[in-house]
Amino acid sequence: MNEFTYIYDGQTHTNLDPEYMTALGIDEETQEGIIKQRDFELSQNVEKRAAAYKIESDPLFLEAVRKSYEGDEEGAEVARTLGLQAVARIQTRYPIN
């Protein structure tokens, strides 16, 4: 999900291997531009991830701590599980590697 794509000669591609791009007829300068664009988009995902954690997963983990402190271990476990599921969704939505 959210795999980096680029359009060349009217077709969408995901393979960034230099041999593949050369076989398509993409010159080295354009290949470098494609890689730089991919790297830029990934760098933006770091910030997007951090913002999403604050909104989506962090409140669930705080709830888990609160419930655990109150002695509600079952509720704490549910909140932790939901928090981990939120983290997985965020990492899928905003890949960084």
Side-chain angles (χ1 to χ4, degrees), residues 3 5 11 20 25 28 32 35 56 59 72 79 91 93 97:
E3 185 172 28
T5 61
Q11 294 185 340
Y20 176 82
E28 285 185 30
E32 289 175 20
I35 298 298
E56 299 174 40
D72 180 4
Q91 290 174 345
R93 192 167 61 232
N97 52 24

Side-chain angles (χ1 to χ4, degrees), residues 59-73 75-76 79-80:
L60 293 164
F61 290 120
L62 289 173
E63 180 181 349
V65 170
R66 182 183 55 77
K67 286 184 182 266
S68 181
Y69 180 77
E70 293 171 347
D72 180 4
E73 290 304 323
R80 274 191 294 273

Side-chain angles (χ1 to χ4, degrees), residues 56-57 60-61 77-87 89:
E56 299 174 40
S57 62
L60 293 164
F61 290 120
E77 183 58 32
V78 169
R80 274 191 294 273
T81 299
L82 292 173
L84 290 171
Q85 290 171 348
V87 166
R89 286 191 304 273

Side-chain angles (χ1 to χ4, degrees), residues 3 7-8 11 16 20 31 47 57 64 70 74-76 79:
E3 185 172 28
I7 297 173
Y8 181 76
Q11 294 185 340
L16 296 172
Y20 176 82
Q31 289 180 34
E47 293 176 22
S57 62
E70 293 171 347
E74 186 176 324

